[in-house]
Amino acid sequence: EVQLLESGGDLVQPGGSLRVSCEASGFIFSSYAMSWVRQAPGKGLEWVSSISGSANRTYYADSVKGRFTISRDNSKNTLYLQLNSLRAEDTAIYYCAYRLYYYDFWGQGTLVTVSS
Amino acid sequence: ETVMTQSPATLSVSPGERATLSCRASQSVSNNLAWYQQKPGQTPRLLIYGASTRATGIPARFSGSGSGTEFTLTINGLQSEDFAVYYCQQYNDWPPLTFGGGTKVEIK
């Protein structure tokens, strides 16, 4: 069974940085693209970024391009999202999601709060 | 960017009745459309992909239809556990992958 476990969410000041992680199990991690989707408090879903299985292709929403970096360590079955130059509008639950186009497995999410 | 618009924002339905949710794309997405259900405090759950294919374990009372720019999610015989927020998402024209704003199905 696919399992995704996020960690790393925290309270950070505007302009600060944070790295969130997603540990995966139950499937051959390196064979699948992975994605991050976020949800601001009381709001809808927003795709953030995706990465191919071999990590040679990455994709970003315009709202985070140049500030966030997606990466993965296939030896550790772990997906990462480095969040830099954080803004108040980046406050959200960040979900790790299995695959690229649509998402049949989601992690429980990790909360990133950007506030002074 | 393909903008996804869902209507209505809120749908009041009595248990046992049918709910019909709409999703419109700003340009054709072919049949590359998914539907999700999200209950309060829970993660989204994939219901439908390919516009009409039910995901694993999804009851037959959930059905999806449409192609191009107009899509519908129908829930027949609403049960108590179906009251939730529903999102559509296109994966035809990306990046970015885009979601609709959601339809909340509430008890009438």
Side-chain angles (χ1 to χ4, degrees):
Chain A
E1 179 186 357
V2 172
Q3 293 192 352
L4 303 170
L5 182 62
E6 300 95 335
S7 61
D10 205 347
L11 171 64
V12 61
Q13 292 188 340
S17 297
L18 194 66
R19 188 177 80 163
V20 294
S21 303
C22 171
E23 186 172 346
S25 61
F27 64 103
I28 302 173
F29 184 68
S30 60
S31 295
Y32 292 92
M34 296 291 293
S35 301
W36 289 99
V37 177
R38 69 184 180 183
Q39 186 169 35
K43 301 297 184 182
L45 301 169
E46 180 188 15
W47 171 78
V48 173
S49 183
S50 298
I51 186 169
S52 63
S54 61
N56 62 338
R57 287 171 292 174
T58 58
Y59 311 91
Y60 297 94
D62 285 347
S63 59
V64 307
K65 198 174 295 183
R67 299 188 299 122
F68 290 9
T69 302
I70 191 171
S71 63
R72 62 193 297 162
D73 185 336
N74 287 342
S75 69
K76 295 182 179 179
N77 286 357
T78 302
L79 175 72
Y80 302 101
L81 187 67
Q82 176 70 38
L83 296 73
N84 296 333
S85 303
L86 282 161
R87 307 166 180 167
E89 55 264 36
D90 295 319
T91 294
I93 297 173
Y94 284 75
Y95 295 106
C96 164
Y98 171 66
R99 288 207 270 216
L100 178 58
Y101 299 115
Y102 54 85
Y103 310 116
D104 42 5
F105 292 98
W106 301 63
Q108 288 302 303
T110 188
L111 178 62
V112 174
T113 303
V114 184
S115 176
S116 54
Chain B
E1 172 177 331
T2 301
V3 177
M4 307 301 293
T5 303
Q6 292 187 241
S7 61
T10 304
L11 185 62
S12 298
V13 185
S14 298
E17 292 189 341
R18 173 184 297 172
T20 302
L21 290 66
S22 295
C23 175
R24 174 177 293 178
S26 61
Q27 60 185 309
S28 176
V29 298
S30 186
N31 67 336
N32 296 313
L33 184 106
W35 289 95
Y36 301 85
Q37 175 194 68
Q38 188 178 31
K39 299 177 184 179
Q42 295 188 18
T43 63
R45 174 193 183 195
L46 178 69
L47 299 175
I48 301 284
Y49 61 93
S52 61
T53 302
R54 277 190 300 277
T56 302
I58 301 304
R61 64 181 182 274
F62 291 92
S63 63
S65 62
S67 66
T69 62
E70 300 285 343
F71 300 89
T72 301
L73 176 70
T74 302
I75 313 170
N76 286 305
L78 266 165
Q79 299 189 5
S80 56
E81 62 264 31
D82 300 334
F83 293 96
V85 178
Y86 293 82
Y87 296 96
C88 62
Q89 177 231 326
Q90 69 83 20
Y91 50 94
N92 186 71
D93 169 44
W94 69 278
L97 296 151
T98 48
F99 291 87
T103 291
K104 181 180 181 180
V105 177
E106 63 176 25
I107 300 174
K108 186 174 182 180

